Amino acid sequence: MIALGGVIGAGLFVGSGAGIAAAGPSIVLAYALSGVLVMLVMRMLGEMSAANPASGSFSVHAERAIGPWAGFTAGWMFWTLLCVGVGAEAIGAAGIMTGWFPGTASWMWVLLFIAVFCGTNLAAVRDFGEFEFWFAALKVGAISLFLVLGGLAIFGVLPGTHAPGTANLAGDGGFLPHGTNGLVVGLLASVFAYGGLETVTIAAAESENPVRGVAMAVRTAMWRIGVFYVGSMLVIVTLIPWSDPAVTTSGPYVAVLDHLDIPVAGQLMNVIVLVALLSAMNANIYGSSRMAYSLIARGQGPKALGKVSGGVPRRAVIASSAFGFVAVLLSYWWPGTVFAWLLNMVGAAVLVVWGFIAAAQLRTRRRLDREAPEHLVVKMWAFPVLTWVALAGVAMILALMALMAHQGDTRVQLYFTGGLALALSLIGYLRQKALTARAYPRGTATTATKRS
């Protein structure tokens, strides 16, 4: 449920409208292509996490396979991504609440939401799991109901509807109304909509049976998420014209429900979007605190935040929640500068993380095949061919971000994220070099280094 719920967020319910407006009906192909890449990445991560469950997940795997600098870079980049996400989601949730309760201050709702989920994460990991289970259940139920209603409407079975056939898929410019450029924009939008799945391998390390848990999540969740995402896009572009202004103004799901004359569709979707935002906040506070704790436990962060009490790294939880609240304050004080910089710095962070996952899996799999094949409970398909395919896919998307001249935001995000990655890599490398120098003083390092 964490795997399913963690990836079904406001980006799907609302943000997918921009992708549909750019790509038209070909958004279905865009989500299918990016879904295949995500499946490959999660299969690789599942292989490593089942063989070696760790709360630091891919950061631990990158450190062991590539070096401490890689674990440092991937871990702190993901922590920044999640913490900025907490702030962005809090702002979105507060916007919905101020719409329902005019006259209330946005900062009040932000403080309330962050305090509530900081509290649930401070209490016990069981509380995080309980909240996330019910949040995920509501989101999965909403998507499932949408797919059922949409399917009935497509076949003209739903009362008051008639089968649209392929009129919306082939009409109004055809399947590729904006050509391959539109498909590329839709592809970029769909890739980032899948972000969030990585949290399930972090949570698996604290479950009763982590090996079985992560293996089951990876094996079953992938195709279900594909059905939800690709299926939703197919229902939307089949039932309503992709160029309908309501797709972007109201959101594609609300536009379809209004088209089907479903009563109070807008308010129902606002509730679902609010739940999606709160669920993402809950998961991001959890994931960021565990990633921070793992990094600190490996000597790659401030020791003061590493204390555990009641089985929970409470100082790391507070620090991660506080960063989210600071990000919100920055959005009020300097919305066009500092907060915009933060958003741009994490704009392509998930792609950097996926690159580290693929590179780490290449090395880890060969070592496991040689030393501990019995730990390969989950195996990457067609290794190493599909691992290289995934790496090529990540590189291709980064290249597309750089080449999309008319999409200035993607270039800015790429440059800012690249700057953050380079800065973290340099810090990690210098730390690694300093630790090696202390561990092996001059004159003794050569033999030890060669042996290692």
Side-chain angles (χ1 to χ4, degrees):
M1 291 302 288
I2 289 171
L4 290 170
V7 75
I8 300 174
L12 174 63
F13 289 117
V14 179
S16 55
I20 294 172
S26 67
I27 192 68
V28 178
L29 178 59
Y31 269 87
L33 290 172
S34 57
V36 170
L37 175 59
V38 173
M39 287 184 183
L40 295 178
V41 171
M42 286 305 298
R43 187 74 182 188
M44 290 185 285
L45 184 54
E47 177 184 283
M48 293 185 291
S49 297
N52 178 35
S55 60
S57 186
F58 50 83
S59 174
V60 173
H61 307 319
E63 178 175 332
R64 293 177 176 175
I66 305 171
W69 71 269
F72 180 91
T73 304
W76 285 116
M77 175 161 277
F78 193 69
W79 181 84
T80 307
L81 167 66
L82 295 185
C83 289
V84 173
V86 169
E89 288 137 10
I91 293 169
I96 293 175
M97 297 305 293
T98 53
W100 288 344
F101 302 97
T104 57
S106 181
W107 67 265
M108 179 186 72
W109 294 110
V110 168
L111 183 60
L112 174 64
F113 292 143
I114 290 183
V116 167
F117 293 115
C118 178
T120 59
N121 277 278
L122 285 173
V125 70
R126 183 188 303 273
D127 294 328
F128 159 75
E130 194 70 20
F131 268 89
E132 198 58 23
F133 173 83
W134 291 110
F135 280 152
L138 182 57
K139 289 188 289 185
V140 169
I143 289 279
S144 300
L145 181 59
F146 178 83
L147 290 174
V148 170
L149 291 174
L152 293 175
I154 287 172
F155 291 103
V157 178
L158 194 69
T161 64
H162 65 277
T166 60
N168 293 321
L169 291 173
D172 197 12
F175 187 73
L176 283 163
H178 295 147
T180 55
N181 280 343
L183 176 62
V184 168
V185 175
L187 179 65
L188 295 176
S190 62
V191 164
F192 300 116
Y194 281 106
L197 270 174
E198 303 83 6
T199 306
V200 70
T201 56
I202 296 175
E206 294 188 72
S207 64
E208 186 175 356
N209 191 328
V211 174
R212 185 181 65 184
V214 72
M216 183 172 64
V218 169
R219 285 170 178 159
T220 62
M222 295 300 96
W223 66 268
R224 292 175 184 171
I225 289 168
V227 168
F228 286 152
Y229 270 73
V230 179
S232 291
M233 294 302 107
L234 182 59
V235 165
I236 291 166
V237 296
T238 301
L239 286 177
I240 60 175
W242 64 268
S243 55
D244 188 333
V247 170
T248 52
T249 57
S250 302
Y253 289 79
V254 173
V256 169
L257 294 175
D258 284 339
H259 174 76
L260 299 178
D261 290 326
I262 305 296
V264 295
Q267 289 305 318
L268 284 174
M269 283 310 302
N270 271 337
V271 172
I272 299 300
V273 171
L274 178 63
V275 168
L277 289 165
L278 296 180
S279 170
M281 282 181 63
N282 188 38
N284 286 351
I285 290 174
Y286 172 83
S288 58
S289 65
R290 272 27 178 211
M291 181 60 73
Y293 170 74
S294 174
L295 287 161
I296 293 162
R298 288 178 276 138
Q300 297 189 347
K303 292 182 180 179
L305 300 180
K307 186 177 180 181
V308 176
S309 55
V312 176
R314 288 177 175 162
R315 292 182 182 179
V317 169
I318 293 171
S320 299
S321 303
F323 187 98
F325 188 69
V326 168
V328 173
L329 294 179
L330 293 176
S331 76
Y332 291 130
W333 295 334
W334 301 291
T337 53
V338 180
F339 188 65
W341 295 342
L342 283 174
L343 290 175
N344 283 325
M345 279 195 297
V346 300
V350 70
L351 290 170
V352 177
V353 169
W354 290 355
F356 275 115
I357 289 172
Q361 192 266 341
L362 274 173
R363 291 193 168 191
T364 302
R365 173 62 178 271
R366 291 191 174 101
R367 191 186 71 241
L368 287 172
D369 279 334
R370 184 175 62 252
E371 299 174 3
E374 68 278 5
H375 289 171
L376 287 170
V377 180
V378 177
K379 285 188 175 183
M380 176 60 181
W381 307 298
F383 177 82
V385 175
L386 289 184
T387 299
W388 284 109
V389 168
L391 267 173
V394 170
M396 182 193 73
I397 294 170
L398 290 171
L400 289 173
M401 290 182 72
L403 294 172
M404 293 297 286
H406 62 287
Q407 292 288 324
D409 287 347
T410 63
R411 274 193 176 181
V412 172
Q413 288 175 7
L414 182 63
Y415 296 153
F416 271 78
T417 303
L420 177 62
L422 286 174
L424 289 174
S425 297
L426 180 60
I427 295 170
Y429 174 75
L430 293 176
R431 284 176 56 86
Q432 178 179 328
K433 195 172 181 180
L435 288 172
T436 303
R438 285 202 296 268
Y440 303 104
R442 187 183 297 272
T444 64
T446 305
T447 304
T449 304
K450 285 182 177 178
R451 187 179 297 124
S452 63

PDB file of all heavy atoms in Angstrom, residues 199-220:
ATOM      1  N   THR A 199      10.410   5.333  -1.640  1.00  0.00           N
ATOM      2  CA  THR A 199      10.167   5.300  -0.192  1.00  0.00           C
ATOM      3  C   THR A 199       9.814   3.900   0.296  1.00  0.00           C
ATOM      4  O   THR A 199      10.082   3.558   1.449  1.00  0.00           O
ATOM      5  CB  THR A 199       9.039   6.286   0.179  1.00  0.00           C
ATOM      6  OG1 THR A 199       9.370   7.581  -0.324  1.00  0.00           O
ATOM      7  CG2 THR A 199       8.863   6.382   1.685  1.00  0.00           C
ATOM      8  N   VAL A 200       9.243   3.075  -0.570  1.00  0.00           N
ATOM      9  CA  VAL A 200       8.814   1.752  -0.120  1.00  0.00           C
ATOM     10  C   VAL A 200      10.002   0.896   0.317  1.00  0.00           C
ATOM     11  O   VAL A 200       9.902   0.108   1.259  1.00  0.00           O
ATOM     12  CB  VAL A 200       7.994   1.029  -1.218  1.00  0.00           C
ATOM     13  CG1 VAL A 200       8.864   0.613  -2.389  1.00  0.00           C
ATOM     14  CG2 VAL A 200       7.286  -0.188  -0.635  1.00  0.00           C
ATOM     15  N   THR A 201      11.165   1.057  -0.330  1.00  0.00           N
ATOM     16  CA  THR A 201      12.328   0.264   0.073  1.00  0.00           C
ATOM     17  C   THR A 201      12.942   0.797   1.361  1.00  0.00           C
ATOM     18  O   THR A 201      13.603   0.061   2.085  1.00  0.00           O
ATOM     19  CB  THR A 201      13.388   0.248  -1.044  1.00  0.00           C
ATOM     20  OG1 THR A 201      13.747   1.590  -1.378  1.00  0.00           O
ATOM     21  CG2 THR A 201      12.855  -0.453  -2.287  1.00  0.00           C
ATOM     22  N   ILE A 202      12.735   2.091   1.653  1.00  0.00           N
ATOM     23  CA  ILE A 202      13.166   2.644   2.937  1.00  0.00           C
ATOM     24  C   ILE A 202      12.297   2.083   4.050  1.00  0.00           C
ATOM     25  O   ILE A 202      12.784   1.654   5.103  1.00  0.00           O
ATOM     26  CB  ILE A 202      13.090   4.185   2.908  1.00  0.00           C
ATOM     27  CG1 ILE A 202      14.071   4.741   1.868  1.00  0.00           C
ATOM     28  CG2 ILE A 202      13.387   4.770   4.278  1.00  0.00           C
ATOM     29  CD1 ILE A 202      13.976   6.245   1.685  1.00  0.00           C
ATOM     30  N   ALA A 203      10.981   2.062   3.818  1.00  0.00           N
ATOM     31  CA  ALA A 203      10.058   1.538   4.824  1.00  0.00           C
ATOM     32  C   ALA A 203      10.238   0.037   5.041  1.00  0.00           C
ATOM     33  O   ALA A 203      10.046  -0.467   6.150  1.00  0.00           O
ATOM     34  CB  ALA A 203       8.614   1.837   4.408  1.00  0.00           C
ATOM     35  N   ALA A 204      10.618  -0.676   3.983  1.00  0.00           N
ATOM     36  CA  ALA A 204      10.760  -2.128   4.085  1.00  0.00           C
ATOM     37  C   ALA A 204      11.774  -2.532   5.146  1.00  0.00           C
ATOM     38  O   ALA A 204      11.635  -3.575   5.793  1.00  0.00           O
ATOM     39  CB  ALA A 204      11.165  -2.715   2.732  1.00  0.00           C
ATOM     40  N   ALA A 205      12.803  -1.705   5.327  1.00  0.00           N
ATOM     41  CA  ALA A 205      13.852  -2.034   6.297  1.00  0.00           C
ATOM     42  C   ALA A 205      13.322  -2.096   7.721  1.00  0.00           C
ATOM     43  O   ALA A 205      13.914  -2.740   8.587  1.00  0.00           O
ATOM     44  CB  ALA A 205      14.986  -1.013   6.211  1.00  0.00           C
ATOM     45  N   GLU A 206      12.194  -1.428   8.002  1.00  0.00           N
ATOM     46  CA  GLU A 206      11.631  -1.417   9.351  1.00  0.00           C
ATOM     47  C   GLU A 206      10.412  -2.332   9.486  1.00  0.00           C
ATOM     48  O   GLU A 206       9.742  -2.327  10.509  1.00  0.00           O
ATOM     49  CB  GLU A 206      11.242   0.006   9.747  1.00  0.00           C
ATOM     50  CG  GLU A 206      12.434   0.939   9.887  1.00  0.00           C
ATOM     51  CD  GLU A 206      12.051   2.284  10.469  1.00  0.00           C
ATOM     52  OE1 GLU A 206      11.750   2.353  11.681  1.00  0.00           O
ATOM     53  OE2 GLU A 206      12.041   3.266   9.727  1.00  0.00           O
ATOM     54  N   SER A 207      10.107  -3.086   8.443  1.00  0.00           N
ATOM     55  CA  SER A 207       8.949  -3.978   8.503  1.00  0.00           C
ATOM     56  C   SER A 207       9.337  -5.288   9.178  1.00  0.00           C
ATOM     57  O   SER A 207      10.510  -5.579   9.424  1.00  0.00           O
ATOM     58  CB  SER A 207       8.417  -4.250   7.091  1.00  0.00           C
ATOM     59  OG  SER A 207       9.387  -4.939   6.326  1.00  0.00           O
ATOM     60  N   GLU A 208       8.321  -6.098   9.478  1.00  0.00           N
ATOM     61  CA  GLU A 208       8.554  -7.347  10.209  1.00  0.00           C
ATOM     62  C   GLU A 208       9.403  -8.321   9.402  1.00  0.00           C
ATOM     63  O   GLU A 208      10.268  -8.997   9.933  1.00  0.00           O
ATOM     64  CB  GLU A 208       7.208  -7.988  10.568  1.00  0.00           C
ATOM     65  CG  GLU A 208       7.329  -9.216  11.447  1.00  0.00           C
ATOM     66  CD  GLU A 208       5.981  -9.755  11.871  1.00  0.00           C
ATOM     67  OE1 GLU A 208       4.957  -9.136  11.539  1.00  0.00           O
ATOM     68  OE2 GLU A 208       5.940 -10.801  12.543  1.00  0.00           O
ATOM     69  N   ASN A 209       9.122  -8.384   8.101  1.00  0.00           N
ATOM     70  CA  ASN A 209       9.897  -9.268   7.224  1.00  0.00           C
ATOM     71  C   ASN A 209      10.321  -8.461   5.996  1.00  0.00           C
ATOM     72  O   ASN A 209       9.644  -8.470   4.962  1.00  0.00           O
ATOM     73  CB  ASN A 209       9.056 -10.475   6.802  1.00  0.00           C
ATOM     74  CG  ASN A 209       9.893 -11.543   6.119  1.00  0.00           C
ATOM     75  OD1 ASN A 209      10.867 -11.235   5.437  1.00  0.00           O
ATOM     76  ND2 ASN A 209       9.521 -12.800   6.305  1.00  0.00           N
ATOM     77  N   PRO A 210      11.422  -7.707   6.103  1.00  0.00           N
ATOM     78  CA  PRO A 210      11.795  -6.775   5.025  1.00  0.00           C
ATOM     79  C   PRO A 210      12.057  -7.440   3.690  1.00  0.00           C
ATOM     80  O   PRO A 210      11.703  -6.888   2.650  1.00  0.00           O
ATOM     81  CB  PRO A 210      13.047  -6.095   5.567  1.00  0.00           C
ATOM     82  CG  PRO A 210      13.563  -6.989   6.646  1.00  0.00           C
ATOM     83  CD  PRO A 210      12.358  -7.651   7.232  1.00  0.00           C
ATOM     84  N   VAL A 211      12.677  -8.605   3.698  1.00  0.00           N
ATOM     85  CA  VAL A 211      13.004  -9.265   2.428  1.00  0.00           C
ATOM     86  C   VAL A 211      11.725  -9.638   1.686  1.00  0.00           C
ATOM     87  O   VAL A 211      11.557  -9.341   0.497  1.00  0.00           O
ATOM     88  CB  VAL A 211      13.875 -10.518   2.672  1.00  0.00           C
ATOM     89  CG1 VAL A 211      14.091 -11.267   1.363  1.00  0.00           C
ATOM     90  CG2 VAL A 211      15.213 -10.113   3.282  1.00  0.00           C
ATOM     91  N   ARG A 212      10.796 -10.279   2.396  1.00  0.00           N
ATOM     92  CA  ARG A 212       9.539 -10.675   1.755  1.00  0.00           C
ATOM     93  C   ARG A 212       8.715  -9.448   1.359  1.00  0.00           C
ATOM     94  O   ARG A 212       8.097  -9.413   0.298  1.00  0.00           O
ATOM     95  CB  ARG A 212       8.726 -11.554   2.703  1.00  0.00           C
ATOM     96  CG  ARG A 212       7.449 -12.128   2.068  1.00  0.00           C
ATOM     97  CD  ARG A 212       6.661 -12.961   3.056  1.00  0.00           C
ATOM     98  NE  ARG A 212       6.166 -12.126   4.152  1.00  0.00           N
ATOM     99  CZ  ARG A 212       5.510 -12.601   5.217  1.00  0.00           C
ATOM    100  NH1 ARG A 212       5.321 -13.902   5.339  1.00  0.00           N
ATOM    101  NH2 ARG A 212       5.078 -11.790   6.163  1.00  0.00           N
ATOM    102  N   GLY A 213       8.723  -8.426   2.236  1.00  0.00           N
ATOM    103  CA  GLY A 213       7.934  -7.228   1.971  1.00  0.00           C
ATOM    104  C   GLY A 213       8.359  -6.502   0.716  1.00  0.00           C
ATOM    105  O   GLY A 213       7.535  -6.161  -0.135  1.00  0.00           O
ATOM    106  N   VAL A 214       9.664  -6.272   0.584  1.00  0.00           N
ATOM    107  CA  VAL A 214      10.129  -5.523  -0.586  1.00  0.00           C
ATOM    108  C   VAL A 214       9.992  -6.371  -1.848  1.00  0.00           C
ATOM    109  O   VAL A 214       9.670  -5.845  -2.923  1.00  0.00           O
ATOM    110  CB  VAL A 214      11.583  -5.046  -0.393  1.00  0.00           C
ATOM    111  CG1 VAL A 214      12.575  -6.201  -0.494  1.00  0.00           C
ATOM    112  CG2 VAL A 214      11.927  -3.976  -1.423  1.00  0.00           C
ATOM    113  N   ALA A 215      10.189  -7.675  -1.724  1.00  0.00           N
ATOM    114  CA  ALA A 215      10.044  -8.545  -2.894  1.00  0.00           C
ATOM    115  C   ALA A 215       8.602  -8.515  -3.410  1.00  0.00           C
ATOM    116  O   ALA A 215       8.359  -8.404  -4.615  1.00  0.00           O
ATOM    117  CB  ALA A 215      10.453  -9.974  -2.533  1.00  0.00           C
ATOM    118  N   MET A 216       7.640  -8.589  -2.489  1.00  0.00           N
ATOM    119  CA  MET A 216       6.233  -8.585  -2.891  1.00  0.00           C
ATOM    120  C   MET A 216       5.834  -7.238  -3.482  1.00  0.00           C
ATOM    121  O   MET A 216       5.115  -7.165  -4.483  1.00  0.00           O
ATOM    122  CB  MET A 216       5.347  -8.908  -1.690  1.00  0.00           C
ATOM    123  CG  MET A 216       3.862  -9.003  -2.024  1.00  0.00           C
ATOM    124  SD  MET A 216       2.879  -9.618  -0.648  1.00  0.00           S
ATOM    125  CE  MET A 216       3.131  -8.304   0.555  1.00  0.00           C
ATOM    126  N   ALA A 217       6.327  -6.139  -2.854  1.00  0.00           N
ATOM    127  CA  ALA A 217       5.981  -4.799  -3.345  1.00  0.00           C
ATOM    128  C   ALA A 217       6.490  -4.593  -4.764  1.00  0.00           C
ATOM    129  O   ALA A 217       5.770  -4.088  -5.632  1.00  0.00           O
ATOM    130  CB  ALA A 217       6.551  -3.736  -2.419  1.00  0.00           C
ATOM    131  N   VAL A 218       7.724  -4.996  -5.004  1.00  0.00           N
ATOM    132  CA  VAL A 218       8.319  -4.793  -6.330  1.00  0.00           C
ATOM    133  C   VAL A 218       7.624  -5.653  -7.377  1.00  0.00           C
ATOM    134  O   VAL A 218       7.370  -5.215  -8.494  1.00  0.00           O
ATOM    135  CB  VAL A 218       9.833  -5.089  -6.290  1.00  0.00           C
ATOM    136  CG1 VAL A 218      10.412  -5.149  -7.690  1.00  0.00           C
ATOM    137  CG2 VAL A 218      10.549  -4.025  -5.464  1.00  0.00           C
ATOM    138  N   ARG A 219       7.284  -6.877  -7.003  1.00  0.00           N
ATOM    139  CA  ARG A 219       6.700  -7.798  -7.974  1.00  0.00           C
ATOM    140  C   ARG A 219       5.267  -7.447  -8.348  1.00  0.00           C
ATOM    141  O   ARG A 219       4.835  -7.668  -9.475  1.00  0.00           O
ATOM    142  CB  ARG A 219       6.744  -9.224  -7.424  1.00  0.00           C
ATOM    143  CG  ARG A 219       8.133  -9.850  -7.454  1.00  0.00           C
ATOM    144  CD  ARG A 219       8.171 -11.156  -6.679  1.00  0.00           C
ATOM    145  NE  ARG A 219       9.482 -11.783  -6.752  1.00  0.00           N
ATOM    146  CZ  ARG A 219       9.927 -12.692  -5.887  1.00  0.00           C
ATOM    147  NH1 ARG A 219       9.154 -13.092  -4.885  1.00  0.00           N
ATOM    148  NH2 ARG A 219      11.134 -13.218  -6.019  1.00  0.00           N
ATOM    149  N   THR A 220       4.496  -6.924  -7.395  1.00  0.00           N
ATOM    150  CA  THR A 220       3.070  -6.709  -7.654  1.00  0.00           C
ATOM    151  C   THR A 220       2.691  -5.261  -7.896  1.00  0.00           C
ATOM    152  O   THR A 220       1.754  -4.990  -8.642  1.00  0.00           O
ATOM    153  CB  THR A 220       2.236  -7.241  -6.474  1.00  0.00           C
ATOM    154  OG1 THR A 220       2.577  -6.504  -5.277  1.00  0.00           O
ATOM    155  CG2 THR A 220       2.487  -8.720  -6.230  1.00  0.00           C
TER     156      THR A 220
END
